Amino acid sequence: MQQHKHPEPKRSKSRDDYGGSGEVPEESPEMKNQRMRRELMASAAEKRMEAAKNAAATVSAPKSAESMKEVKISGSGIEGKSKSLSLETCQEKNGNSGAELSTADAHQLFSMIFGNEVSRNVLAQWSNQGIRFSPDSETSMGLVQHEGGPCGVLAAIQAFVFKYLLFCREESDIVAPNTSTNLGVVSNSESMGADIFSSLSEDYKSRALVRSMNEMLFLCGNNETAVIASMDVLDGHAEESMDGLKDEVIEKILEGVSFESGFDLQKVLKVSTFISKASALYKLKAMLPVFRSRLGALLFLISALLSRGLDNVQSDRDDPSLPLVTAPLGHASQEIVNLLLSGSAVANVFDGKMDFGGGMFVKGISTTVEVGFLTLLESLNYCKVGQYLKCPRWPIWVVGSESHYTVLFALDTKVQEENQLESREAQIRRAFDAQDQSGGGGFISVEGFHQVLKETSIDLPSEKLEHLCSTGFIVWSEFWQVLLDLDKNLGGLKNLTGLMGKKVFDLYHFNGIAKSVANGSQATSGRENPIRRPRLTKLRVSVPPKWTPEEFMANVSVPSGSGKNESDEEENSVEVSKPEPAQHAPLVDCIRTRWPRATCNWEGDAPSIV
């Protein structure tokens, strides 16, 4: 059979096409953009024709029974292995080229994110932040931030990326915490430090990023669906050629593309809905150059909101009339961060919901999360972070300050293990917080207090009960002091194991904002040429074994109680010594909301959460 050559795609004109003068008329930016699009479309057409030819040959060839059941796509797997996808999945991946947003949805989406009166500065911040790794070797595992505003989106993605880089290295997403097989690269965490990230390839980091985004979008979609937002800048042909496009080409095509109104979103966006995680993974992998572009962070936020559903997002919120991007500085709201971490766009960080009576209540976090959240605002008594966010499945936390989000993480899951005393404390505190209707103020009603005593099996002597209830409300700090002096057999904490065990462990803090540094520290002189890069800081954390600072500094011995067994004695009979001089920074206050009384030390500049 005669082989027909494919028609030659149209190309730009040569010099001879301009009358042989050798002078080429100068192209306008618009003409140059159009020419580039035509060439990309032509290249994509060639690929489609080749794919159609191969498909026709496959159809005409005899098929085995096994090959009829599955369509195998070699090389499309995110881990670099061949993936077997069902025919339905393949059709979803290849056939779902995306649909336009309705005019109503586009305007609702824009108003939900930015409100009706958004400044150009805020729009510029959110239109100029890609999701890309730092080019600096010391912080190459981290996403770099150049603009203020989208840090909440980047920090949440970064937290999940650390999960996949450190604890979920295998193909399967079904992993069990606290097992050595999950630690992989961090098995010798004490000595390796930040060097653990130096050997990670770009391909491996990209796979971790794609798997993270996929998990987060399905989390927003109740683990049933995910919506991925793309742009129709290549006239619908971007899907076939996207994987081979250079970042520079993408940036060039995006010149002139802006999201300044709901009309702009409706005109440019294409959205694809997926029920298969494998096919959504394929789509995200193909779209990595787009997410690395200046619109990447905004596109991912839009994808998360659409995955949750616009009506569901508004239902999650306490005040749906406010924009998700806060004025006037354009920071990501707590609702955005909670959506990306928990799948719900609630505004609060406590556990469950707070009922004010009369049908009025506000929502908090309702389930255990993979990565958690800590905030400086708790140390300032502005809010109370619940146990769901404080004790996530993996030792990774987004850290919030008044104006920025960063990430704190450990290399060893054992940092979250609790001894008998800490476990009992957490149980009682969770029951107490469930009755706290003050928004984290640390006090409850007498009626709520009796419920706490019932749930936690605490039998207070009558004189102590009357004393605590005498004012009409119970304060946590006073209740806590009573518990410390209450015998174990009455439900108290006296003589429980854990008093002699001093915890010492390492945490790492990553700040993705690019700041000027020189020779690994923040530049303070003009003699060197500083570079702009994120910051990674190692902290040595010590949690004192005594329950009051006075006891610890006085080195008072605590007699071992009758409740200790031999293994408890061995584990907790650590010699008490005075701590090294502690260093302080606002991050330490955040750490103390998770590990009360902790002291921290580090080398070099203090870790920054702004």
Side-chain angles (χ1 to χ4, degrees):
M1 181 180 295
Q2 184 178 359
Q3 297 293 326
H4 295 281
K5 294 184 179 179
H6 297 306
E8 185 70 19
K10 294 182 179 179
R11 305 296 184 192
S12 301
K13 293 183 178 181
S14 65
R15 292 178 179 270
D16 294 337
D17 295 324
Y18 294 98
S21 63
E23 297 181 2
V24 181
E26 184 177 353
E27 276 187 311
S28 68
E30 182 178 358
M31 292 295 294
K32 189 174 182 179
N33 231 6
Q34 290 179 357
R35 175 176 58 80
M36 186 175 296
R37 290 190 182 189
R38 285 197 303 270
E39 292 185 359
L40 289 170
M41 290 169 59
S43 176
E46 290 182 68
K47 291 183 179 180
R48 291 198 307 276
M49 294 172 67
E50 185 67 26
K53 174 185 174 182
N54 293 337
T58 303
V59 170
S60 61
K63 295 184 179 180
S64 65
E66 188 65 27
S67 65
M68 289 290 288
K69 294 179 182 178
E70 292 185 324
V71 177
K72 290 192 175 183
I73 302 179
S74 178
S76 65
I78 198 61
E79 296 294 335
K81 300 176 182 178
S82 296
K83 292 292 177 188
S84 295
L85 302 179
S86 69
L87 183 59
E88 178 183 357
T89 300
C90 293
Q91 288 173 342
E92 180 182 30
K93 173 178 65 64
N94 293 324
N96 194 345
S97 59
E100 293 182 357
L101 283 177
S102 69
T103 302
D105 284 347
H107 285 280
Q108 181 186 4
L109 179 61
F110 186 87
S111 177
M112 185 185 299
I113 298 174
F114 295 113
N116 297 321
E117 297 180 359
V118 57
S119 69
R120 288 191 173 273
N121 287 338
V122 170
L123 287 175
Q125 289 176 357
W126 283 84
S127 299
N128 289 282
Q129 181 60 63
I131 304 173
R132 57 171 65 233
F133 287 101
S134 168
D136 174 68
S137 59
E138 293 185 18
T139 56
S140 63
M141 77 300 169
L143 303 175
V144 62
Q145 180 186 349
H146 296 289
E147 294 288 340
C151 55
V153 174
L154 293 183
I157 299 173
Q158 181 71 75
F160 276 88
V161 167
F162 282 148
K163 167 191 167 180
Y164 281 101
L165 290 179
L166 296 174
F167 304 113
C168 301
R169 295 176 62 98
E170 299 301 319
E171 169 62 26
S172 173
D173 287 333
I174 304 175
V175 290
N178 302 325
T179 57
S180 59
T181 55
N182 294 322
L183 300 181
V185 73
V186 299
S187 56
N188 297 318
S189 58
E190 287 296 324
S191 61
M192 299 184 72
D195 293 339
I196 62 169
F197 297 109
S198 60
S199 61
L200 299 177
S201 67
E202 292 299 319
D203 182 60
Y204 186 81
K205 291 185 295 184
S206 294
R207 296 200 302 269
L209 174 58
V210 169
R211 294 172 71 191
S212 299
M213 294 193 294
N214 198 43
E215 179 180 358
M216 296 169 77
L217 293 182
F218 272 96
L219 178 64
C220 295
N222 292 321
N223 286 314
E224 296 175 355
T225 60
V227 177
I228 301 174
S230 183
M231 292 176 290
D232 194 22
V233 292
L234 295 181
D235 297 329
H237 298 294
E239 184 81 7
E240 293 85 352
S241 57
M242 190 64 67
D243 202 28
L245 292 179
K246 299 294 184 181
D247 291 351
E248 295 80 4
V249 176
I250 295 291
E251 293 293 346
K252 186 67 178 176
I253 294 173
L254 291 182
E255 287 183 2
V257 175
S258 62
F259 294 154
E260 298 183 358
S261 66
F263 175 76
D264 289 337
L265 294 182
Q266 198 274 333
K267 181 175 62 174
V268 176
L269 284 185
K270 289 284 190 179
V271 295
S272 303
T273 303
F274 297 87
I275 59 174
S276 163
K277 293 184 178 180
S279 94
L281 204 66
Y282 184 96
K283 172 78 171 181
L284 289 167
K285 181 176 183 290
M287 279 189 60
L288 269 184
V290 174
F291 285 116
R292 285 196 295 261
S293 77
R294 62 179 178 85
L295 293 172
L298 180 55
L299 278 176
F300 186 78
L301 173 60
I302 290 172
S303 300
L305 292 171
L306 293 175
S307 295
R308 178 63 177 159
L310 300 186
D311 291 340
N312 289 334
V313 170
Q314 295 296 70
S315 177
D316 290 337
R317 307 174 66 195
D318 291 344
D319 188 351
S321 66
L322 297 176
L324 291 169
V325 172
T326 61
L329 301 179
H331 296 139
S333 65
Q334 188 65 48
E335 294 153 309
I336 290 177
V337 175
N338 284 348
L339 172 66
L340 299 178
L341 297 183
S342 73
S344 297
V346 295
N348 306 289
V349 292
F350 51 73
D351 291 343
K353 64 181 181 180
M354 191 172 295
D355 193 343
F356 295 107
M360 295 181 59
F361 62 88
V362 291
K363 301 175 184 177
I365 305 299
S366 60
T367 185
T368 303
V369 294
E370 293 290 296
V371 298
F373 179 78
L374 303 174
T375 176
L376 182 65
L377 299 181
E378 180 174 3
S379 70
L380 301 174
N381 293 321
Y382 284 115
C383 67
K384 174 67 178 177
V385 179
Q387 294 299 305
Y388 286 137
L389 289 175
K390 274 188 181 172
C391 304
R393 186 182 185 194
W394 304 104
I396 306 167
W397 297 265
V398 172
V399 176
S401 68
E402 303 97 324
S403 60
H404 190 42
Y405 293 99
T406 55
V407 182
L408 183 74
F409 64 98
L411 305 183
D412 193 343
T413 57
K414 292 181 180 179
V415 302
Q416 295 212 98
E417 291 182 357
E418 297 177 337
N419 57 37
Q420 188 179 1
L421 190 147
E422 290 171 324
S423 178
R424 179 64 171 157
E425 175 191 4
Q427 178 193 14
I428 298 172
R429 186 67 202 237
R430 185 178 290 110
F432 188 94
D433 288 345
Q435 301 296 326
D436 187 350
Q437 303 299 311
S438 65
F443 59 89
I444 60 177
S445 66
V446 172
E447 181 182 0
F449 182 54
H450 283 286
Q451 182 65 28
V452 171
L453 298 180
K454 179 180 179 181
E455 291 179 1
T456 56
S457 301
I458 296 174
D459 184 14
L460 283 178
S462 57
E463 66 275 9
K464 292 186 177 181
L465 181 62
E466 291 176 3
H467 172 71
L468 287 173
C469 298
S470 61
T471 60
F473 57 88
I474 291 80
V475 180
W476 168 258
S477 58
E478 295 179 0
F479 179 39
W480 178 246
Q481 291 301 319
V482 171
L483 290 173
L484 290 177
D485 196 41
L486 185 67
D487 286 340
K488 177 182 176 182
N489 58 3
L490 296 177
L493 302 172
K494 190 175 182 180
N495 296 330
L496 280 181
T497 61
L499 291 177
M500 292 297 292
K502 178 182 178 180
K503 280 188 174 182
V504 180
F505 53 88
D506 291 335
L507 294 176
Y508 293 83
H509 179 252
F510 179 79
N511 187 342
I513 194 77
K515 296 184 177 181
S516 296
V517 294
N519 293 332
S521 62
Q522 192 150 345
T524 56
S525 69
R527 290 179 295 177
E528 299 184 56
N529 294 323
I531 61 174
R532 292 179 59 81
R533 70 181 186 198
R535 289 272 309 278
L536 179 66
T537 305
K538 178 181 179 181
L539 301 95
R540 172 55 60 97
V541 181
S542 300
V543 182
K546 303 292 189 270
W547 286 101
T548 65
E550 292 78 11
E551 284 181 339
F552 180 60
M553 296 305 296
N555 199 14
V556 177
S557 62
V558 177
S560 49
S562 58
K564 292 186 181 182
N565 54 39
E566 289 186 8
S567 60
D568 288 329
E569 290 284 355
E570 290 181 7
E571 179 179 351
N572 295 290
S573 61
V574 179
E575 180 181 355
V576 178
S577 59
K578 293 184 178 180
E580 298 178 5
Q583 297 169 278
H584 187 265
L587 177 63
V588 178
D589 294 328
C590 298
I591 292 173
R592 285 174 178 165
T593 66
R594 174 61 180 84
W595 292 278
R597 305 165 305 279
T599 60
C600 300
N601 298 88
W602 56 83
E603 295 182 1
D605 294 331
S608 172
I609 58 174
V610 297

